[in-house]
Amino acid sequence: MKHTLKVYTLNEDRQWDDRGTGHVSSGYVERLKGMSLLVRAESDGSLLLESKINPNTAYQKQQDTLIVWSEAENYDLALSFQEKAGCDEIWEKICQVQGKDPSVDITQELVDESEEERFDDMSSPGLELPPCELGHLEELAELVASSLPSPLRREKLALAVENEGYIRKLLELFRQCEDLENADGLHHLYEIVKGIFLLNRTALFEVMFSEECIMDVIGCLEHDPALGGLPRRHRDFLTKTARFKEVIPIGDPELRAKIHQTYRVQYIQDMVLPTPSVFEENMLSTLHSFIFFNKVEIVGMLQDDEKFLTDLFAQLTDEATDDDKRHELVNFLKEFCAFSQTLQPQNRDTFFKTLSNMGILPALEVILVSGMDDVQVRGAATDIFSYLVEYNPSMVREFIMQESQQNDDDILLINLIIEHMICDSDPELGGAVQLMGLLRTLVDPENMMATANKTEKTEFLSFFYKHCMHVLSAPLLANTTDDKPSKGVYDFQTSQLLALILELLTFCVEHHTYHIKNYIINKDILRRVLVLTASQHAFLALCALRFMRRIIGLKDEFYNRYIMKNFLFEPVVKAFLNNGARYNLMNSAIIEMFEYVRVEDVKSLTAHIVENYWKALEDVDYVQTFKGLKLRYEQQRERQDNPKLDRFIYCFCVYLLSCVFTMCCKRNCTSGIIKTTLRLRGKGDGRVGLMVGWID
């Protein structure tokens, strides 16, 4: 019988990568010369895993549905079964090949010592633990500490602790020590329990993290001797401060217990256990795996609970839901989406498809409309939206275009997002920066799809410039109505917002060409942007210059004619002169813009600059940029005045060059190599030169 499972591999960051879902079977493989585990993909039957059951490999069974082992150095594998029965059957096959009892949780002892240590440990009987009594706690703490450096001794200690039910006895002693205020005993228990964590054994974790034991385990870890007798209050926090809120009732008691357990174990890992050393980090891999697979299981169970998700989205979109309740629902949805980030791509894909089918985007729209005045709700909505855009921007774009057929522009999801960005109350505009990045992703043609019947780029950009661009540019237009920035631009937060908008508009100039060109020319956007070069905030003035520089860099004559017609170099020249002799970013940015026009020989702009601004710039001699522009201009005029001369010189040089090659052929090139260069100096030079030389 084939059993459904997922195959995982442990990457360099000690995170589990999902290699796919498939069906496992066991059988003899001739090529590998032995019994092997075979996993074929559920989707297409391709081979996901072919692994020989090596008699000397240590296989571990964890949490009833996991089998973990190391295939080679730094290559760990895990099989996560859908059902316990499938895991048990494959585990029996592995144990049968290795001649082990299927009741064990690990098939081999992990050996990594010298031959002498190995002989000593293997020749000795199993580790004998001292009696679990108050008088023997110091002895037990020393035994645990001495066993940790040796893999074999760690394994024997783990087996002894497991087989003798030692953990529950230790926790009983802990309660006695607390009642008696026995500080020394509590310190010894801290060292013992910390050492048990480093044994890295799933069977022990399952006991320690059980409902009846986990709080006492946390209690043991409160009494760190390094704190000097002042215990931490982790249990107080978990029982009095941290509250589990069921915003939607969870009917499955197993799911509820799993959520409680995962939260507490995560808390132990992040807050209770001391920061592990490099040596200890590798000894906590099973703890990481325990949390990881718990999270995978929780997300899967919530996904499969249709009633739960239906109730969640129904209450989110219900106008009768009060603000406090909606606040809790939004925070839960945010945490739910954040939880999914631990999933591998295939699982995450299924997760977001489920949320999409349940109507997460319409729900998000309702959240934004109803919670615009609540900073926390807006922040949670931003996070949820970011998860959706990062997952599948095309899905978000499709929804936005579909809703435009039914709703006014003011309540479109994307315009609500833009309004959210504009209205960010954070002085540092943290939310606005995040939303600007998401808008940039949505309007980026690089992630838009094209099919035989339609092009997403054409459709969405046409929609965006018709329904959304006026909302995005509204703050820019409102603050640049005159020839100088409005009073609002003197405000640092407003200037930051305008800089963000300019950054997005600059991106559009680079990637949208046709749509943004029409918008800039028809709305006279560049003239309004250049008003900001007079801003007292240098970063905003530089953003305005960068916007113009990107437009000039396109070398598009439609843009050039627009610039010349409206004399849009005037505010740039004015900003340059007002900056004076200061050598700063403003100075460098403006000079670089003029230098680009000169080097690229943009004829129309060169003529416009010299004819209109030469008198203002002729005294600038610490760079040759402006004199070079004047020279370009004069060469253009010279060529325009003598068009026939240019053609005559060119023909003469070609004739002279042919004579040189004829002479070369007669000499058979025996005395050297002729190097001949025909140099046409510049596009607007008006002169042609010929250089002939011999290289002996």
Side-chain angles (χ1 to χ4, degrees), residues 97-360:
V97 172
Q98 294 198 343
K100 301 292 182 180
D101 184 346
S103 63
V104 301
D105 287 333
I106 184 168
T107 62
Q108 301 288 333
E109 293 180 335
L110 303 174
V111 181
D112 195 25
E113 300 97 343
S114 66
E115 290 295 326
E116 183 178 352
E117 290 174 318
R118 188 182 311 162
F119 176 79
D120 291 341
D121 278 325
M122 293 181 68
S123 60
S124 63
L127 202 63
E128 185 176 344
L129 298 175
C132 193
E133 299 171 356
L134 288 176
H136 293 278
L137 285 177
E138 183 177 1
E139 180 186 353
L140 179 59
E142 292 175 356
L143 175 64
V144 171
S146 65
S147 299
L148 290 177
S150 164
L152 268 176
R153 288 180 62 79
R154 281 203 309 271
E155 183 61 26
K156 289 187 176 185
L157 176 61
L159 286 171
V161 171
E162 179 185 348
N163 294 336
E164 296 182 23
Y166 216 77
I167 291 176
R168 296 181 190 278
K169 297 176 184 177
L170 285 171
L171 297 180
E172 179 61 35
L173 284 182
F174 164 72
R175 289 189 286 271
Q176 293 179 27
C177 287
E178 275 209 318
D179 292 340
L180 298 172
E181 297 183 357
N182 184 341
D184 290 339
L186 291 170
H187 291 164
H188 292 318
L189 282 164
Y190 169 88
E191 298 292 351
I192 293 166
V193 172
K194 176 189 168 187
I196 291 175
F197 269 93
L198 297 177
L199 295 179
N200 208 29
R201 192 172 181 85
T202 304
L204 299 180
F205 287 158
E206 288 175 350
V207 176
M208 296 167 75
F209 301 151
S210 63
E211 181 67 26
E212 62 270 22
C213 293
I214 191 166
M215 296 307 290
D216 285 335
V217 169
I218 294 171
C220 290
L221 293 171
E222 290 178 346
H223 297 275
D224 185 349
L227 299 177
L230 296 174
R232 299 191 184 278
R233 301 296 179 186
H234 297 300
R235 286 172 294 172
D236 285 350
F237 173 80
L238 290 172
T239 56
K240 298 176 183 178
T241 306
R243 295 294 182 186
F244 177 64
K245 292 184 178 180
E246 288 188 64
V247 291
I248 301 291
I250 297 174
D252 186 350
E254 182 184 351
L255 173 57
R256 191 186 297 108
K258 186 69 69 175
I259 292 172
H260 282 300
Q261 183 190 60
T262 305
Y263 174 78
R264 290 166 178 170
V265 176
Q266 185 82 61
Y267 183 83
I268 290 173
Q269 182 189 49
D270 296 340
M271 303 299 297
V272 180
L273 284 176
T275 303
S277 64
V278 175
F279 167 71
E280 293 173 340
E281 181 70 35
N282 295 328
M283 297 164 68
L284 290 171
S285 59
T286 303
L287 180 62
H288 301 322
S289 300
F290 189 97
I291 295 170
F292 173 82
F293 288 112
N294 262 21
K295 289 181 177 180
V296 171
E297 193 172 345
I298 290 170
V299 173
M301 293 169 78
L302 286 172
Q303 271 180 245
D304 295 339
D305 192 337
E306 244 181 82
K307 183 179 184 305
F308 178 87
L309 293 178
T310 302
D311 290 346
L312 171 65
F313 286 105
Q315 292 191 37
L316 272 173
T317 55
D318 188 352
E319 294 181 1
T321 303
D322 63 67
D323 291 343
D324 290 340
K325 182 67 173 179
R326 181 172 281 111
H327 186 271
E328 292 177 353
L329 291 166
V330 172
N331 279 332
F332 171 79
L333 186 56
K334 171 194 166 184
E335 292 301 320
F336 192 31
C337 291
F339 221 46
S340 73
Q341 300 308 294
T342 62
L343 302 177
Q344 296 305 312
Q346 185 177 355
N347 292 342
R348 195 157 57 241
D349 186 61
T350 303
F351 173 83
F352 281 110
K353 281 181 180 176
T354 301
L355 293 189
S356 177
N357 293 336
M358 298 300 296
I360 189 171

